[in-house]
């Protein structure tokens, strides 16, 4: 289409909307934001006549690459260290994608201006695309990769696993609570605009370095839809900013959404990129370096800061603190060690770190070895069953952590843990901001004004509570993380598949009793609790040796 | 000449031979190559099932920690209480069209190509020049008004509903329905644009006033707006795809436009409107499968039938009111190939057939 006819087509499509006079669309999902003073924005309409063929063409390229990868025996070159983490990642990500589709009517309900409804409805279709194309990629891995265990139970494992639950926020957060908080600030302004760069660009690059060029093919294709979504979100944000009354809510939601995205996405993607790769070239960017480029420079400095002049209060302190956690407080390293500690209740295998890895980490994160090196040496020493328990139950100077009630990543930067009695329960938080999110933000009142539409934190938030006081073997069996011989675990603390004696079975993990830190915390007397917390927080500054 | 003394050494990741192919070793689960957390409907799982089932978790299936976010006034996730209809197993619904991303883009692109070719040929052959004034007027007013209905349903019925269903299979089928409607509404609008640019007497702006003010269209606009105001997602789906689309949508598209266009020298409109009918046929397919499941539910079937009966007593009269108001448009074209009575009779009997298939009684309101 020529430029002129494109403009005419857009104008014509705009004629399809009308002002209802008999009845107005049901408001299923409320918001405490107001859009009465919202300026009329008229972003370009997506013309379905060009949209469908464009996406079909993109699809054809993806499916062509898939055929090519199989014909070209891609899996002869894929690093298992990398692909094992995809069992976790690809179990999580189709749900956030489909949730983004489901979030679109919430945004449509909340924002009265029909000018942007069309773009949101097209985004809905994109997100159905993303979810199902990713499920299909995972199926291809299951069919062609050496070890299908974990891929084969993917959606069940996602729904009953501690890490799956962390990831589920990135999804449930899009579709629940205040429609603008969820479907605009959390989903689009923060998750899509900031964090899809690490998810869909940085991570696929790392996949390619580990012999997997299908992940990049699929995820770059997904990412190519993202700029339209980002501009949908930007339009709504500008409309919200036009009304002064929204500003405190925007400030609240930017703090919550930024911090929660950081906690969740940096934990997961940081681990995949730093601990899932075999590429230890010194000039390979670390996750911290990628973060600096994609999130700090491209998002924070180029996208967020310019919004200050429209009245948006930007959480500068939280951006700096997220960076500080990644670069100085070992956030990603702590999360990786936690995942590896929990290997018997994983549905993927985690490779040990070798001298080559140690050297790279020390180069990128000076001081890494003295904090984490010894622990990873213990991990290798305890990799096989027979003479020892799983590492979580051996004394390697590592205390199983408390979980953050809000972001559900444990309070791994121990000196930062906050412990408070909230809703009649002693809860632990990874940070002040996560405490604030639960105690202040997700409440029916905010700074003295009613916020009846704001969401609530619900559910059995501490995963360990569900498995308190049980034998590890029974827990693994309940979760279903057992291979088809009925006894070998799916999760293993190594990658050796060649010798059955090296693989842990239910019998090898039986006899280890698992206790929930939160249940125990709530059983303590006041003095016990104070002492326990002081000890826990001091532990963070000590090395693990 | 380029200076080659200063080239930075390029750095590449090393690709290694790992032999991580399926079948390279035998060990527990090395042959476990199917998604094993759900039971496929047939012996082998379809692609559709594999990419759709259980992607939206459910506390009744594998979700152990429950929904971790709630609404200010109730639970989060996908509560079954968001409709009055009840099912003993919402997950039993599978979309007979097996829609997932490849089918969405393949099918809709095929339609796009068909419509574009048709419109291009029409322009090249200057076919609009031969259309008589009353037919041009008919298209200008009535097809023009109708495209609003399609667009309203796309955005405020189908897009809205796909947040609310209790399973991923339901919501995805409905999302595809929204895509169909949006595309079809736009195709009608762009056809309108072509006509307004052709060298014929055609007012491309007239459709707005007709939809907003013309007495024959107001009851139709009223039902569409009333539909968008329904909160119960299953009622909305039932009232739209089973009642409105049968009594008003198909009546207009199939029983009127498709029947009379050819006699008025127009083979373009039926090609485009035919794609809308084709979509509706698919969309009716999943809708029937869903409501059949609900009427045949061993535990809740009887209560559901009663509920659907109540929904019909609300929506059938509203739709019939819209239909009766539309009657004058049957006499607008020069060539009146079909009478209103015949068209309505056909629509009613097809509607009755759908109801019978669902095991529902024909509502007495239909005879009014
Ligand atoms: Fe997406
Ligand atoms: Fe997106
Ligand atoms: Zn936290």
């Amino acid at each position: 289409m020529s430029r002129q006819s494109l403009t005419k087509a857009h104008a014509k499509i705009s004629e399809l909307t009308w002002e209802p006079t008999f009845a107005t669309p049901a408001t299923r999902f409320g918001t405490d934001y107001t859009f009465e003073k919202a300026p009329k924005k008229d972003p370009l309409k997506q013309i379905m006549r060009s949209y469908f063929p464009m996406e079909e063409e993109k699809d054809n390229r993806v499916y062509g690459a898939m055929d090519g990868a199989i014909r070209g025996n891609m899996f002869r070159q894929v690093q298992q260290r990398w692909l094992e983490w995809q069992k976790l990642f690809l179990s999580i990500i189709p749900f956030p994608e489909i949730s983004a589709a489901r979030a679109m009517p919430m945004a449509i309900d909340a924002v009265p201006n029909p000018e942007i409804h069309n773009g949101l409805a097209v985004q809905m279709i994109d997100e159905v695309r993303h979810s199902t194309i990713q499920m299909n990629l995972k199926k291809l891995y299951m069919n062609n990769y050496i070890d299908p265990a974990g891929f084969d139970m993917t959606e069940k494992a996602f729904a009953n696993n501690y890490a799956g639950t962390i990831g589920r926020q990135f999804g449930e957060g899009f579709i629940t609570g205040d429609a603008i908080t969820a479907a605009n600030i959390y989903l689009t302004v923060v998750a899509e605009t900031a964090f899809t760069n690490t998810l869909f660009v940085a991570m696929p690059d790392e996949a390619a370095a580990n012999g997997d060029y299908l992940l990049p093919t699929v995820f770059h294709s997904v990412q190519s839809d993202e700029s339209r979504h980002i501009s949908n979100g930007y339009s709504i944000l500008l409309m919200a900013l036009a009304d002064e009354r929204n500003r405190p809510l925007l400030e609240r939601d930017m703090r919550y959404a930024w911090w929660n995205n950081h906690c969740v996405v940096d934990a997961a993607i940081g681990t995949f990129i730093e601990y899932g790769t075999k590429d230890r070239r010194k000039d390979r960017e670390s996750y911290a370096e990628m973060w600096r480029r994609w999130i700090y420079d491209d998002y924070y400095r180029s996208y967020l800061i310019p919004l200050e002049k429209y009245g948006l209060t930007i959480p500068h302190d939280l951006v700096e603190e997220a960076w500080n956690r990644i670069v100085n407080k070992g956030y990603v390293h702590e999360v990786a060690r936690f995942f590896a500690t929990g290997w018997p209740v994983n549905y993927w295998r985690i490779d040990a770190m070798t001298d080559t890895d140690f050297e790279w980490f020390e180069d990128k994160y000076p001081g890494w070895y003295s904090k984490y090196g010894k622990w990873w040496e213990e991990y290798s020493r305890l990799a096989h069953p027979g003479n020892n328990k799983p590492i979580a139950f051996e004394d390697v100077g590592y205390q199983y952590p408390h979980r953050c009630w809000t972001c559900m990543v444990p309070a791994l930067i121990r000196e930062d843990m906050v412990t408070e009695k909230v809703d009649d329960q002693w809860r632990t938080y990874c940070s002040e901001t996560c405490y604030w999110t639960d105690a202040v933000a997700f409440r029916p009142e905010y700074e003295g004004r009613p916020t009846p539409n704001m969401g609530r934190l619900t559910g059995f938030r501490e995963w360990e509570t569900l498995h308190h006081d049980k034998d590890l073997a029974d827990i693994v069996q309940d979760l279903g993380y057992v291979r088809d011989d009925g006894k070998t675990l799916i999760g293993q603390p190594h990658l050796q598949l060649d010798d059955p004696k090296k693989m842990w079975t239910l019998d090898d993990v039986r006899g280890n009793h698992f206790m929930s830190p939160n249940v125990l915390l709530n059983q303590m007397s006041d003095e016990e609790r104070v002492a326990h917390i002081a000890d826990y927080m001091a532990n963070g500054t000590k090395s693990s040796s | 000449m380029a200076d080659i003394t200063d080239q930075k050494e390029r750095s590449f990741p090393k690709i290694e031979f790992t032999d991580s192919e399926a079948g390279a070793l035998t060990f527990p689960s090395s042959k476990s190559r199917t998604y094993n957390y759900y039971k496929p409907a047939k012996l082998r799982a379809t692609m559709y099932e594999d990419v759709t089932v259980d992607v939206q978790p459910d506390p009744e299936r594998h979700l152990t920690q429950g929904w971790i976010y709630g609404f200010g006034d109730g639970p989060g996730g996908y509560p079954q209480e968001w409709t009055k209809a009840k099912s003993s197993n919402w997950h039993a619904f599978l979309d007979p069209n097996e829609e997932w991303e490849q089918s969405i883009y393949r099918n809709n692109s095929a339609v796009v190509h068909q419509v574009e070719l048709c419109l291009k040929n029409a322009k090249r052959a200057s076919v609009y020049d031969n259309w008589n004034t009353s037919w041009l007027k008919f298209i200008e007013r009535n097809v023009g008004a109708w495209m609003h209905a399609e667009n309203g349903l796309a955005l405020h019925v189908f897009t809205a509903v796909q947040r609310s269903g209790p399973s991923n299979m339901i919501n995805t089928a409905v999302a595809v329905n929204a895509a169909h409607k949006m595309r079809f509404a736009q195709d009608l609008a762009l056809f309108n644009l072509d006509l307004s640019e052709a060298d014929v007497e055609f007012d491309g702006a007239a459709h707005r006033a007709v939809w907003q003010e013309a007495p024959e269209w107001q009851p139709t606009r009223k039902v569409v707006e009333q539909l968008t105001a329904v909160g119960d997602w299953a009622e909305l789906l039932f009232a739209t795809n089973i009642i409105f689309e049968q009594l008003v949508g198909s009546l207009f598209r199939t029983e009127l436009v498709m029947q009379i266009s050819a006699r008025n020298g127009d083979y373009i409109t039926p090609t485009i409107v035919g794609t809308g009918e084709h979509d509706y046929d698919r969309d009716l397919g999943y809708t029937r499968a869903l409501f059949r499941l609900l009427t045949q539910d061993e535990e809740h079937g009887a209560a559901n039938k009663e509920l659907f009966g109540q929904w019909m007593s609300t929506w059938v009269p509203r739709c019939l009111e819209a239909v009766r108001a539309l009657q004058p448009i049957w006499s607008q074209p020069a060539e009146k190939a079909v009478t209103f009575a015949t068209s309505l009779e056909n629509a009613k009997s097809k509607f009755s057939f759908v109801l019978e298939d669902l095991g529902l009684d024909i509502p007495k309101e239909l005879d009014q």
Side-chain angles (χ1 to χ4, degrees), chain A residues 1 12 81 110 151 220 250 309 323 460 489 538-539:
Chain A
M1 257 192 249
K12 179 53 78 178
R81 175 187 279 184
F151 282 130
H220 289 159
L250 282 169
K309 64 174 176 288
W323 170 246
F460 302 99
L489 306 199
N539 198 357

Side-chain angles (χ1 to χ4, degrees), chain A residues 50-255:
Chain A
S50 46
Y51 169 77
F52 285 118
M54 170 185 83
E55 296 290 331
E56 189 194 27
E57 173 61 34
K58 283 203 242 172
D59 268 7
N60 289 342
R61 269 179 298 203
V62 167
Y63 289 96
M66 285 179 167
D67 291 346
I70 293 166
R71 273 201 307 274
N73 307 107
M74 184 185 90
F75 289 89
R76 289 183 191 172
Q77 310 173 349
V78 160
Q79 293 292 347
Q80 293 191 36
R81 175 187 279 184
W82 175 261
L83 219 71
E84 287 297 318
W85 284 105
Q86 291 305 314
K87 291 176 181 175
L88 173 59
F89 176 64
L90 287 175
S91 75
I92 294 174
I93 196 70
F95 173 66
E97 295 285 11
I98 206 67
S99 302
R102 310 306 180 223
M104 291 303 106
M106 301 178 66
I108 290 176
D109 274 10
V111 184
N113 310 39
E115 289 79 10
I116 68 149
H117 293 170
N118 166 278
L120 294 168
V122 179
Q123 179 172 350
M124 169 190 74
I125 312 168
D126 286 336
E127 305 293 8
V128 173
R129 169 176 191 256
H130 300 170
S131 181
T132 52
I133 207 173
Q134 290 163 6
M135 286 299 288
N136 186 40
L137 173 68
K138 178 165 58 183
K139 188 178 167 176
L140 185 146
Y141 287 153
M142 173 175 71
N143 284 330
N144 295 284
Y145 169 63
I146 188 166
D147 182 11
F151 282 130
D152 56 0
M153 64 170 306
T154 182
E155 294 305 301
K156 174 177 175 174
F158 168 57
N160 71 11
N161 181 269
Y162 70 92
T165 312
I166 296 171
R168 198 142 45 77
Q169 295 167 88
F170 200 78
E172 280 194 49
F174 304 164
I175 56 166
T176 324
D178 187 299
I180 293 297
T181 311
N184 179 242
I185 304 299
Y186 188 86
L187 165 57
T188 310
V189 174
V190 180
E192 290 184 302
T193 310
F195 285 90
T196 54
N197 279 324
T198 60
L199 275 168
F200 298 157
V201 184
M203 206 183 64
D205 284 354
E206 210 49 51
N210 285 279
D212 174 9
Y213 52 84
L214 274 187
L215 192 91
T217 307
V218 170
F219 280 83
H220 289 159
S221 185
V222 165
Q223 182 70 0
S224 67
D225 293 327
E226 224 54 57
S227 59
R228 281 186 283 112
H229 306 175
I230 290 167
S231 78
N232 288 339
Y234 189 72
S235 307
I236 298 178
L237 178 61
L238 289 185
M239 289 186 216
L241 276 166
D243 192 327
E244 298 261 349
R245 290 170 295 178
N246 293 327
R247 302 222 173 140
L249 300 182
L250 282 169
E251 184 183 357
R252 176 197 68 186
D253 290 345
M254 283 303 299
R255 293 186 76 78

Side-chain angles (χ1 to χ4, degrees), chain B residues 15-269:
Chain B
I15 293 300
E16 248 184 287
F17 182 73
T18 59
D19 201 12
S20 303
E21 264 186 331
L25 286 171
T26 301
F27 52 88
S29 279
S30 61
K31 295 188 176 66
S32 178
R33 299 191 187 273
T34 48
Y35 287 156
N36 59 24
Y37 46 89
Y38 75 93
K39 200 175 166 316
K42 304 222 173 86
L43 213 51
R44 279 175 65 98
T46 61
M47 172 63 88
Y48 159 72
E49 289 174 295
D50 273 346
V51 300
T52 314
V53 177
D54 283 332
V55 174
Q56 175 180 310
D58 186 336
E60 286 189 359
R61 287 180 61 78
H62 312 300
L63 184 60
T64 52
Q65 288 177 259
W67 297 110
I68 50 184
Y69 288 103
F71 286 97
D73 60 356
Y78 297 87
Q80 298 186 357
E81 294 69 39
W82 284 358
T83 175
K84 284 199 190 114
K86 287 200 165 33
S87 169
S88 36
N89 180 14
W90 285 106
H91 294 269
F93 170 79
L94 293 174
D95 177 3
N97 305 319
E98 310 204 324
E99 295 280 11
W100 69 295
E101 69 120 7
Q102 270 202 307
S103 67
I104 298 173
Y105 295 103
R106 274 186 192 155
N107 293 338
N108 282 286
S109 294
V111 173
V112 164
H113 295 314
Q114 183 189 341
V115 169
E116 272 187 325
L117 194 66
C118 165
L119 290 173
K120 209 187 277 171
N121 288 337
K123 260 188 207 169
R124 198 170 41 209
S126 309
V127 299
Y128 306 132
D129 297 357
N130 304 322
W131 291 5
N132 63 52
T133 325
S134 61
W135 183 248
L136 281 165
K137 201 93 206 138
F138 179 87
I139 301 288
E140 173 190 293
R141 291 180 62 85
N142 302 315
V143 175
W146 180 254
M147 66 197 191
H148 293 270
E150 297 283 351
N151 197 58
L153 298 181
L155 290 174
H156 299 293
V157 171
F158 298 110
T159 302
V161 162
Q162 61 90 48
R163 166 66 185 88
S164 300
S167 87
N168 199 43
M169 294 79 84
I170 296 172
N171 290 331
T172 296
V174 178
V176 176
N177 198 157
H180 289 156
K181 286 293 184 196
M182 197 157 36
R183 194 211 68 242
F184 181 48
Q186 291 192 0
D187 278 344
L188 294 177
L190 295 174
F191 174 43
N192 174 289
L193 180 64
D194 273 8
L195 280 164
S196 62
E197 288 178 341
D199 201 12
V200 291
E201 210 177 299
F202 186 90
D203 179 359
H207 64 91
R208 281 190 139 154
V210 177
W211 178 245
Q212 289 278 27
E213 289 152 32
E216 68 272 25
W217 281 102
Q218 295 319 292
T220 297
R221 180 164 70 85
K222 188 174 175 186
V223 195
V224 170
E225 291 181 11
Q226 283 169 331
L227 282 169
T228 68
V230 173
D232 180 317
W233 68 266
E235 179 180 354
L236 183 48
L237 195 58
F238 186 87
T240 305
N241 269 352
I242 302 289
I243 307 175
F244 177 83
E245 281 282 71
Q246 285 291 318
L247 291 180
V248 188
S250 283
L251 176 82
F252 178 73
R253 294 185 304 249
T254 298
E255 307 303 339
L256 178 60
V257 178
M258 301 292 284
Q259 305 303 325
I260 63 171
S261 300
R263 291 286 286 274
N264 285 279
D266 172 6
Y267 59 89
I268 306 302
T269 309

Side-chain angles (χ1 to χ4, degrees), chain A residues 10-25:
Chain A
H10 283 131
K12 179 53 78 178
I13 285 163
S14 303
E15 293 174 11
L16 286 167
T17 56
W18 76 95
E19 287 292 330
T21 58
F22 296 105
T24 47

